[in-house]
Amino acid sequence: MSTLPLQPFLILALILFCMGLFGALTKRNTIIVLVCIELMLNAVNLNLVAFSKYGAQPDITGQVFSLFSITIAAAEVAVGMAILIAWYRNKNSVNIDEVDELKD
Amino acid sequence: MIEFVWLIPTLPLLTFILLTILRDKVNQTGSYMAICLTGMAFILSVLVFIQLIDAGTAVQEWEWITIGSIQISFGTLLNPLNGLMLILVAFISLLIHIYSLGYMERDQRMTTFFAYLSLFTAAMLGLVISPNLLQFYVFWELVGLGSFLLIGFYYYKNSAKNAAQKAFIMTRVGDMGLLIGLILLFWQTGSLQFEAIFSAITGGDVEGSMLTLIAILIFIGAIGKSGQFPLHTWLPDAMEGPTPVSALIHAATMVAAGVYLVAVMYPLYMASTTALMVVTVVGGFTAIYAASIGLVQNDIKQVLAYSTISQLGFMMLAMGTLGYTAGVFHLFTHAFFKALLFLAAGVVIHAIHTQNIKQMGGLHQRLKLTSITFAIGALAISGFPLFSGFFSKEEILSAVWADGQYGLWLVALVAAFLTSLYMFRLYFLVFHGESKQRLDQIGLVPKTMKIPMSILAVFSIFSGFFNTSWFGSYLGDWLIGDNQMLTNTHHGSSIGVMLIASIISIGGIILAYMIYVKKSFDQTSLQSSFSGTYKLLANKFFMDEFYHTSFVKGAKGVGKIFVYVERYGVGFLLAFIREMLTTLSKSGSKTQTGQTQTYAAVAFLGMVLFTAIYILKGGY
Amino acid sequence: MNGELLAFLILSGAAILGGILMINLKKVVHMLLSVVLTFVSLAGIYILLSAEFVAVVQILIYSGAITIILAFGIMLTNHKAQEERSSNRLRAILVGVGVIIFFFTTYAGIKNLYFGTGADSLHIDNTQKIGESIFSHYVIPFELVSIVLLVALMGAVVLTRQREEDDE
């Protein structure tokens, strides 16, 4: 029987999400930006799992969804990494400031 | 037949539409078609007129617009005045259509000419059968449009272009008066139907001063269209159009519209002595003013134009002195002899290709028929005894005398004298004396031009007998009929007035003969002894120059001020706005860095802003 | 203070520490490794939340696979890369302030959240329950996710493959 309430988990998720967000919006290395996005995804997963236990309708569904989300995150990292490497071959840089093709 | 009266203006309108559509396909056929349809309109109007003699009035109306409780209808109204105008306009138009066939023979744009001519005719025919002021106004403007198109027919000539614009703008000044009067009238009586307006006026529903104002405003419209002083300057310039057009404008359509307007609104004028006085004075002044200018002009058409203005002044004078019958009667006779004079002048211009009478002379030998018909027209307009003009002019003089306007009566007499003087000056200079051109080059006058002239000559002689104090005033009696609103103002003309009128007319002719044929007086010495007067008259009292310095220069001055306002005020403002926009958009385009991270940061900050506001407002 | 709370404090402290290190460290590889600390601690938190299977998957996928991919990415590109200070300080400050505001607004939303004492039987036969749920109720999403993975695999291969003209 658990004695912890819901809030600590949500606050932990919030803190992690904020840190990930800050990193994603300020870091210049594209790989680190990807890492930060992973961190945000993890915060979301934590929320899913926490609600699966303490939610309005506690159910296994939350855990199932966190699994789906982990899968999608893995796919995203794979594609993101592939794009990054292809781009690196062109520009010889992983600096996100130099990604400004949208300008033209 | 009377219920088909709406067909009469529709037929020429149809011609206009057909000729405009088929402009490139038909040439000669198009003009025949125009003549046929106008002829049908004429026949129809004769039939209608015959029925109308018994019926008296006939009204047809259909609903047009309903705004709230106000109904505006369109339709046709026939009363003696309208019937008379209808047949007159249709007849003159038909003759001029036929004449144009010969006159415009060699013109490339003959079809266009006939199309415009038909539009003009249609507008005037529609005007005279309008049962309400709104419909009247629509056709009134259409007449203006028709005259604009026709005066500017030779649009490649700058003078024609300017004349067309001048005619349009000058009449527009008058139209403004008419429009304001019309709106005021609607405001006061709540209707635009002639019947309703008249019953409201005779019932005393409209205040006296307002009535006067409305009457004068509407008269300003008539001044513009009929070329009365001071809005007359467009009429001489309108001579730039082809001569048949001048004939049509001066005889039956455009300028007659103004007199017709006063005739139609006559109950309104009857109710206001001040308005009547204005009409009288303007008419009288215009009559002598234009006649004096006509005395010294050297352009054959200009002389005729000023004579028209003068004759219209006579009509207005008659209208103003309660001579309703006299005014309409003079309009009626004037239509014939003025059309005749213009057509004859057209033949002359057609033959020798100049309009300057100093370069004419002796044309009687070659253009016998033209010379005779022109003489008939001149005799008629001068009021030579037993010609049509004699009776109508005598009627006007008696009306003025009976009204007690003895000063104006004298003015009218002098104007009549001047009329016969300048008409015969014109006649003698053009057709008699030494010829200054090689006459053998003059070709034959086409039959299409001769026939209308002959017909008009007959009418110029005899149309006066419709209304004489000897045989009976058929026209006058019929025009007044049992209409309560018009008083029967036929004045038993005295032998004295008749005698004086005859003497005046013959005196003018004799004087002209003495000066220009016998050369009893030396023209040049006359000119030099009255050089100041001569200059004043030759320059048309400097009216054009006056308008030029007052209105044109004034408007140009105002325009210049606005040019500066535009250049420095608006221009500066615009430059400011433009610079601001450029700066803004330049700085805006700088935000497009292409860096998704920045975009995301901005989007995130926006979201934070909104959620923060949401929370602060009480959120969740 | 019971053991559960103690475990939570230690694990969450480690997770937050990993995040802080990730933001503050200079070398890219170090940053990646500090994130691994966060991932592992989160796996512990999942166990506290009666989600053993998810915890294991977390360690396998995040701490294992994704970290390895990212490490390879770092090595393939510029492995000595140092994360220099953000050139745009203004943006960093603005984003920082924004993140803090965001934290407090969201905190205002969750601070009074309470749905009940929570489920107490989730840890019993956890993996079996997940398996039953996935293969009965969520079978179509499961298949779709497999397609997404396949497409991602092919996409990654196509994107990173050396073009023939590049070889020459």
Side-chain angles (χ1 to χ4, degrees):
Chain A
M1 189 58 216
S2 163
T3 54
L4 284 169
L6 173 63
Q7 266 79 18
F9 296 101
L10 293 185
I11 290 165
L12 174 63
L14 181 59
I15 290 169
L16 290 177
F17 186 84
C18 284
M19 286 195 295
L21 188 61
F22 179 78
L25 293 182
T26 52
K27 294 292 170 190
R28 299 186 66 208
N29 191 317
T30 315
I31 295 173
I32 298 306
V33 171
L34 268 177
V35 169
C36 290
I37 289 169
E38 293 310 313
L39 198 57
M40 286 158 79
L41 275 168
N42 257 292
V44 172
N45 281 345
L46 178 55
N47 265 5
L48 282 172
V49 176
F51 279 117
S52 139
K53 188 171 168 69
Y54 296 109
Q57 286 166 315
D59 198 358
I60 199 75
T61 309
Q63 297 187 11
V64 173
F65 263 83
S66 72
L67 285 175
F68 284 142
S69 137
I70 288 168
T71 324
I72 298 299
E76 176 234 313
V77 164
V79 175
M81 223 48 227
I83 292 172
L84 186 87
I85 286 169
W87 191 74
Y88 178 78
R89 274 198 206 122
N90 271 338
K91 292 275 168 98
N92 207 24
S93 161
V94 285
N95 200 331
I96 201 162
D97 290 352
E98 285 162 43
V99 189
D100 57 359
E101 270 76 14
L102 273 180
K103 198 173 177 178
D104 307 314
Chain B
M1 239 21 238
I2 234 162
E3 58 269 25
F4 291 114
V5 66
W6 55 270
L7 260 178
I8 298 174
T10 313
L11 285 170
L13 188 67
L14 190 71
T15 321
F16 168 67
I17 294 167
L18 281 178
L19 287 187
T20 312
I21 295 170
L22 304 172
R23 182 164 45 190
D24 305 324
K25 304 215 171 54
V26 291
N27 198 15
Q28 200 71 17
T29 359
S31 39
Y32 289 131
M33 191 169 78
I35 290 168
C36 278
L37 285 171
T38 316
M40 277 164 69
F42 171 61
I43 291 165
L44 206 56
S45 61
V46 169
L47 292 173
V48 166
F49 190 74
I50 288 167
Q51 285 196 355
L52 192 68
I53 289 175
D54 293 329
T57 54
V59 187
Q60 273 180 297
E61 277 185 308
W62 296 277
E63 203 171 292
W64 185 12
I65 310 168
T66 309
I67 307 163
S69 59
I70 301 159
Q71 270 204 352
I72 295 169
S73 54
F74 71 101
T76 60
L77 169 71
L78 280 177
N79 55 29
L81 174 66
N82 291 0
L84 184 72
M85 288 299 291
L86 193 64
I87 195 165
L88 184 69
V89 173
F91 181 58
I92 303 279
S93 299
L94 175 63
L95 292 180
I96 286 168
H97 270 77
I98 296 171
Y99 178 87
S100 306
L101 203 59
Y103 189 84
M104 301 299 285
E105 205 171 23
R106 283 189 291 274
D107 198 288
Q108 290 291 311
R109 292 164 62 233
M110 192 171 172
T111 323
T112 318
F113 180 75
F114 271 96
Y116 291 167
L117 214 54
S118 299
L119 175 69
F120 199 26
T121 310
M124 191 62 195
L125 286 171
L127 179 89
V128 298
I129 56 170
S130 299
N132 62 52
L133 264 178
L134 190 68
Q135 193 180 337
F136 182 92
Y137 187 72
V138 170
F139 282 110
W140 177 272
E141 293 293 347
L142 269 179
V143 170
L145 170 71
S147 71
F148 171 76
L149 290 173
L150 284 169
I151 294 169
F153 184 71
Y154 297 130
Y155 58 86
Y156 39 82
K157 271 171 34 187
N158 252 336
S159 54
K161 241 186 321 199
N162 291 338
Q165 281 171 13
K166 191 170 176 183
F168 207 60
I169 292 165
M170 292 297 270
T171 50
R172 188 48 30 89
V173 175
D175 293 351
M176 248 14 255
L178 173 60
L179 185 60
I180 296 168
L182 196 148
I183 291 165
L184 280 180
L185 202 55
F186 183 70
W187 179 43
Q188 290 292 320
T189 63
S191 173
L192 287 170
Q193 298 293 113
F194 287 132
E195 304 257 320
I197 290 170
F198 296 156
S199 59
I201 289 166
T202 43
D205 293 352
V206 189
E207 208 187 317
S209 55
M210 181 53 87
L211 204 64
T212 308
L213 179 67
I214 292 170
I216 289 173
L217 280 169
I218 289 181
F219 183 59
I220 289 174
I223 286 178
K225 270 282 193 282
S226 284
Q228 297 294 289
F229 184 84
L231 295 178
H232 64 280
T233 54
W234 67 270
L235 201 51
D237 285 25
M239 294 300 117
E240 286 296 336
T243 310
V245 176
S246 309
L248 196 56
I249 288 180
H250 286 245
T253 49
M254 180 92 170
V255 298
V259 180
Y260 172 76
L261 173 63
V262 177
V264 157
M265 300 303 293
Y266 210 62
L268 179 66
Y269 290 93
M270 300 275 288
S272 165
T273 4
T274 324
L276 270 183
M277 198 61 212
V278 171
V279 176
T280 317
V281 171
V282 169
F285 181 72
T286 309
I288 191 160
Y289 167 84
S292 62
I293 296 175
L295 213 50
V296 296
Q297 294 302 310
N298 284 330
D299 185 315
I300 182 167
K301 286 174 79 179
Q302 294 262 326
V303 176
L304 291 176
Y306 278 106
S307 88
T308 306
I309 297 174
S310 169
Q311 297 306 309
L312 289 163
F314 268 108
M315 292 173 209
M316 289 298 185
L317 181 64
M319 288 287 180
T321 51
L322 298 177
Y324 176 74
T325 322
V328 177
F329 185 37
H330 196 56
L331 176 64
F332 177 68
T333 55
H334 174 258
F336 294 114
F337 55 68
K338 188 45 62 69
L340 172 61
L341 287 170
F342 265 111
L343 296 191
V347 172
V348 172
I349 296 164
H350 197 249
I352 58 173
H353 305 292
T354 176
Q355 299 193 4
N356 192 339
I357 51 176
K358 297 277 174 190
Q359 295 171 19
M360 298 176 186
L363 290 175
H364 184 70
Q365 303 152 34
R366 289 293 300 183
L367 301 166
K368 278 228 165 52
L369 180 78
T370 313
S371 165
I372 292 166
T373 51
F374 193 92
I376 290 171
L379 284 171
I381 198 175
S382 311
F384 194 80
L386 301 184
F387 282 73
S388 60
F390 171 69
F391 295 107
S392 52
K393 221 172 246 184
E394 178 261 331
E395 185 98 357
I396 292 174
L397 289 173
S398 340
V400 179
W401 180 263
D403 199 46
Q405 312 275 4
Y406 303 115
L408 282 168
W409 187 74
L410 267 178
V411 167
L413 271 189
V414 174
F417 174 73
L418 291 177
T419 306
S420 55
L421 182 59
Y422 67 71
M423 280 318 297
F424 278 90
R425 166 182 176 261
L426 188 63
Y427 176 68
F428 291 134
L429 281 179
V430 172
F431 291 101
H432 294 279
E434 291 157 33
S435 112
K436 295 168 189 83
Q437 299 256 330
R438 294 189 58 201
L439 294 178
D440 47 349
Q441 283 180 346
I442 297 173
L444 280 175
V445 181
K447 272 208 179 61
T448 47
M449 289 160 83
K450 274 183 177 165
I451 292 169
M453 276 161 54
S454 315
I455 296 172
L456 281 171
V458 172
F459 273 93
S460 298
I461 299 173
F462 295 110
S463 63
F465 291 99
F466 283 118
N467 191 37
T468 68
S469 44
W470 301 336
F471 307 125
S473 47
Y474 308 111
L475 186 79
D477 292 346
W478 187 63
L479 268 177
I480 303 295
D482 48 8
N483 196 332
Q484 307 290 317
M485 284 177 265
L486 304 167
T487 49
N488 193 336
T489 50
H490 184 70
H491 313 286
S493 56
S494 59
I495 298 293
V497 171
M498 226 172 243
L499 209 62
I500 292 169
S502 314
I503 291 167
I504 287 287
S505 150
I506 297 168
I509 298 169
I510 290 169
L511 187 62
Y513 184 75
M514 304 269 271
I515 299 174
Y516 296 104
V517 182
K518 285 282 172 202
K519 312 234 191 272
S520 314
F521 308 100
D522 189 19
Q523 283 180 56
T524 44
S525 74
L526 268 180
Q527 274 178 21
S528 50
S529 53
F530 294 103
S531 66
T533 323
Y534 178 79
K535 221 177 210 169
L536 194 63
L537 292 179
N539 286 304
K540 306 153 195 174
F541 287 95
F542 296 100
M543 214 49 202
D544 275 322
E545 285 75 9
F546 170 70
Y547 281 144
H548 188 74
T549 43
S550 58
F551 291 110
V552 179
K553 284 251 176 78
K556 272 189 180 160
V558 173
K560 238 175 208 159
I561 293 171
F562 279 112
V563 163
Y564 285 114
V565 169
E566 130 103 52
R567 194 170 295 160
Y568 297 110
V570 180
F572 180 76
L573 192 69
L574 282 181
F576 175 70
I577 292 171
R578 191 190 58 217
E579 285 304 314
M580 198 178 71
L581 278 180
T582 333
T583 324
L584 266 181
S585 48
K586 263 187 187 151
S587 57
S589 74
K590 264 182 204 148
T591 61
Q592 196 207 356
T593 54
Q595 290 174 0
T596 38
Q597 206 177 25
T598 318
Y599 295 172
V602 172
F604 167 68
L605 286 175
M607 189 201 77
V608 163
L609 194 68
F610 281 122
T611 48
I613 290 170
Y614 184 56
I615 294 291
L616 287 177
K617 283 277 166 195
Y620 299 127
Chain C
M1 186 180 281
N2 58 13
E4 197 179 4
L5 182 60
L6 193 67
F8 175 78
L9 285 178
I10 293 168
L11 286 171
S12 59
I16 292 168
L17 180 72
I20 290 169
L21 283 174
M22 193 271 301
I23 285 174
N24 285 315
L25 281 174
K26 289 273 182 289
K27 284 193 95 166
V28 179
V29 183
H30 293 173
M31 290 164 130
L32 185 60
L33 290 175
S34 63
V35 162
V36 175
L37 175 61
T38 309
F39 291 159
V40 174
S41 337
L42 275 178
I45 301 267
Y46 289 160
I47 293 172
L48 277 183
L49 286 168
S50 326
E52 294 96 337
F53 185 71
V54 180
V56 174
V57 168
Q58 164 87 3
I59 289 172
L60 274 177
I61 305 287
Y62 274 108
S63 314
I66 290 178
T67 311
I68 298 297
I69 291 179
L70 289 170
F72 269 106
I74 290 167
M75 282 190 282
L76 280 173
T77 54
N78 190 2
H79 62 278
K80 287 199 200 89
Q82 296 227 343
E83 170 70 30
E84 60 266 47
R85 275 242 168 267
S86 169
S87 61
N88 198 338
R89 283 195 82 93
L90 179 69
R91 190 172 75 192
I93 292 165
L94 277 178
V95 170
V97 172
V99 163
I100 290 164
I101 295 171
F102 175 75
F103 178 85
F104 283 109
T105 53
T106 315
Y107 178 71
I110 60 173
K111 67 181 175 195
N112 290 323
L113 216 53
Y114 182 72
F115 293 116
T117 50
D120 46 6
S121 58
L122 276 180
H123 57 285
I124 306 162
D125 293 335
N126 182 266
T127 312
Q128 188 186 347
K129 276 180 185 162
I130 289 176
E132 280 166 0
S133 185
I134 281 181
F135 289 107
S136 59
H137 200 253
Y138 294 107
V139 68
I140 292 173
F142 177 75
E143 294 298 337
L144 288 178
V145 160
S146 67
I147 291 172
V148 169
L149 267 181
L150 184 67
V151 171
L153 177 74
M154 279 155 47
V157 169
V158 169
L159 278 169
T160 45
R161 196 183 49 146
Q162 291 268 349
R163 301 251 168 75
E164 280 171 31
E165 60 265 37
D166 292 349
D167 290 338
E168 288 156 14

